[in-house]
Amino acid sequence: SDVCSSDLNFNGDPPSPNWEDFGFADDGREESDSSIIQPPDWWPTLDPAALHGLAGEIVRAIEPHTEGDPVAVLLNLLVGLGNCIGRSPHGLVGKERHALNENVLFVGDTAQGRKGTAWAYPRYVLSLVAPDWASKCVKSGLSSAEGLIFHVRDEIWKRQPIRKGGKVIGYENVMVEEAADDKRLFIVESEFVLVLTVMHRDGNSLSARLREAWDCGDLSTLTRNSPLKATGAHISVIGHITKQELLARLDDTSTGNGFINRFLIALVRRSRELPEGGIVPEEQLQGYADRLVRVVDSARRTTEMQRDTEARALWASIYHDLSTGRPGLVGKVTARAEAHVLRLSLIYALLDRSEEIRVEHLQAALAVWRYCEKSARLIFGEKVGNADADRLLAMIRNWGAGVTDTDIYKYFGRHKSAEERESAIRLLIASGLIQTHQEHTGGRPRTHYKAA
């Protein structure tokens, strides 16, 4: 419905928009547009380097005709294309294989964030590129590990008895389910909070299987009655969630086990008002689709990709910063920075039909990552990912004056042991979120805590 709505024509001469507010460089366009909604001052901006090549052309063409965030349009296109291409192109880090499968979590207000709207045009263009992929591989309704594996399953065999004359004379292996004919799976979850809720249930192994899917594409369950296995699966996940839902449902396990840092996290918002909708000319979309067909055909003949000399030099200069751990919850959710940048740079290179990752591809990937990193800082900010420590930090901030150990004991009551309280304090000090000073009382010094 987003794609087929009618065009909106403006009369008059409203002021020219400031494209840099949206992460776009000045492209010299003369067209004025009063529909743009200015972002708040604190909102992250996308470095124009992210709009490199064909992906940037497509986003620029779509952007005036959708209320979806250009960042979401770009990431939907990149991740969708990476899934559509498949597992053949990859980069190696030692013996670790990184394919084109990526996960993205779009964080924005319900409805007003236009998270689903930003997927409409990329999905339509990709459906022109690969109709079979769009009709068979794009799914939703993620709820169990078994359901996930079934869509990309290997053959399922069972050992069954051979009977003759009412007696069992032996056993044979019988194929009870054929293998999935396509190991690509692109999951779009408009209510990702439901996925996080399901993952909290006892015995649910969905989190572990999604981690395996991102890492290597080999998944399995150990259930006795229905063992499932998938090898070489190519799974990408797009999730939509609000900030409040994410903070409420993301527990210590999801951050500690690395589930959430296998997602790019991007703040998104409604970028403009189009009461009558908007539409990109069909011939323009078909032209982009034709070019993407050539990209996909070339990419599927590609195997291992490496950086060229200049890109290797750039990578060496940024690697320390990307791979160095950071304190707090932000550090946990951004812990796979170098892997995400590598995968994104592969997609940008393939869009240029390049056999190597060049500097511009690496710079584009870095621009996307920097936006996601800024988003994570704004969403998780001064949280450490530990429930006790986060409660204590809120208490210290709210009280303002220096808080003592006695105050902390009274705040938690009898519900937390001395060891648990001390652990929370040490974590906040190590994260640089609180400071201490000693008050000399003539006897045992009294420790005061205040927000850093």
Side-chain angles (χ1 to χ4, degrees), residues 82-83 85-103 210-218 232-236 258 261-264 299 302-307 315 319 322-323 335-350 357 369:
N83 189 267
I85 289 170
R87 287 193 68 80
S88 179
H90 63 276
L92 287 178
V93 180
K95 293 296 184 181
E96 189 176 0
R97 188 180 192 274
H98 288 271
L100 307 182
N101 56 306
E102 262 292 9
N103 301 327
L210 286 172
R211 297 198 306 271
E212 290 171 351
W214 192 87
D215 291 345
C216 62
D218 296 338
H234 191 61
I235 299 173
S236 304
N261 62 35
R262 287 169 170 84
F263 282 77
L264 296 162
T302 303
T303 53
E304 183 185 351
M305 297 181 67
Q306 298 179 343
R307 303 177 190 93
W315 181 253
Y319 182 76
L322 284 176
S323 59
R336 297 181 188 273
E338 63 272 33
H340 287 297
V341 171
L342 169 58
R343 295 185 183 207
L344 289 168
S345 67
L346 289 169
I347 298 172
Y348 275 108
L350 292 169
I357 299 170
W369 171 251

Side-chain angles (χ1 to χ4, degrees), residues 199 207 211 246 249-262 328-336 380 384-386:
M199 285 166 42
S207 172
R211 297 198 306 271
L246 180 58
R249 299 306 302 172
L250 195 63
D251 61 4
D252 293 351
T253 302
S254 298
T255 54
N257 65 16
F259 169 78
I260 196 63
N261 62 35
R262 287 169 170 84
L329 187 54
V330 170
K332 292 179 180 179
V333 301
T334 60
R336 297 181 188 273
F380 300 106
V384 297
N386 175 278

Side-chain angles (χ1 to χ4, degrees), residues 58-69:
I58 296 174
V59 172
R60 289 179 187 274
I62 292 173
E63 189 275 334
H65 303 281
T66 178
E67 294 185 341
D69 195 314

Side-chain angles (χ1 to χ4, degrees), residues 400-416:
V403 174
T404 67
D405 287 309
T406 301
D407 296 326
I408 294 172
Y409 170 77
K410 291 179 179 179
Y411 177 74
F412 282 112
R414 301 178 183 273
H415 302 295
K416 299 295 175 183

